[in-house]
Amino acid sequence: MPGKKKGDTIKTAIHDFEGDQTYTEKPGHNFHLNYAFAEVNPEEYAGLVIAGGRAPEYLRLNQQVLEVVQHFMEKDKPLAAVCHGIQILTAARVVEGRRLTAYPAVGPEVSLAGGTFVPVDATEAVVDGNLVTSPAWPGHPALIREFLKVMGATIDLNAGSPATTSVEYLT
């Protein structure tokens, strides 16, 4: 978050769908920050997942965050984003010519940034090359499944041992 550094604690918000015209917002978890954006070297990461919620509205103002996203798209590394996380992609100017989905209220931003907004059910994901997107948290299973495919990971449930694939999240 802007103005926050390693060691700080941040509050989060949870968006939920309860039959209202739009999502509702409730207090989420408090997270202790153990890393700062200034410390991130994107060369050290194989994939990037951008969470949704309220944070992208602010994170898209952070030049270091935008540069990390640009690195992943320029290097064709796996990148996943959900819900309002797509606002970071549009601010980073990396969606031009790409097909992706987002929370419906973010759809106009996708179009204005030169992307093609694909409306899908909240439980679905859209894949365009290295980019995997989903409109909201009910799509997490599809988003993660497709992101792992893009990462080249395989999970063999019959192997008798836990999966060895590790995914790090930068939020």
Side-chain angles (χ1 to χ4, degrees):
M1 300 302 287
K4 298 293 184 178
K5 59 187 180 311
K6 184 177 180 177
D8 287 347
T9 299
I10 60 167
K11 291 182 178 184
T12 65
I14 297 172
H15 291 168
D16 207 352
F17 306 99
E18 301 174 308
D20 297 322
Q21 187 173 4
T22 188
Y23 57 83
T24 59
E25 186 171 281
K26 297 173 183 64
H29 303 285
N30 292 332
F31 283 97
H32 181 77
L33 300 178
N34 58 12
Y35 219 67
F37 290 120
E39 299 173 32
V40 174
N41 177 359
E43 292 286 343
E44 297 175 356
Y45 294 87
L48 174 64
V49 176
I50 302 173
R54 180 166 296 279
E57 179 181 348
Y58 300 99
L59 293 176
R60 66 183 172 171
L61 303 176
N62 183 308
Q63 187 60 37
Q64 291 168 317
V65 170
L66 300 181
E67 289 170 4
V68 168
V69 169
Q70 291 164 347
H71 167 86
F72 276 83
M73 294 300 282
E74 289 167 4
K75 301 291 184 183
D76 202 35
K77 290 182 175 182
L79 193 154
V82 63
C83 193
H84 285 77
I86 284 75
Q87 290 179 313
I88 296 173
L89 302 179
T90 59
R93 300 180 185 268
V94 297
V95 302
E96 187 170 351
R98 304 302 291 264
R99 296 179 69 251
L100 61 154
T101 193
Y103 185 71
V106 180
E109 290 181 51
V110 170
S111 299
L112 288 169
T116 300
F117 176 72
V118 180
V120 298
D121 186 77
T123 61
E124 298 180 31
V126 173
V127 180
D128 183 348
N130 67 314
L131 181 61
V132 183
T133 54
S134 184
W137 68 259
H140 282 170
L143 181 84
I144 292 167
R145 179 187 63 241
E146 297 303 325
F147 181 66
L148 289 174
K149 286 180 189 175
V150 172
M151 291 280 298
T154 57
I155 299 173
D156 184 353
L157 298 177
N158 297 316
S161 62
T164 57
T165 301
S166 173
V167 179
E168 293 191 36
Y169 292 85
L170 173 63
T171 59

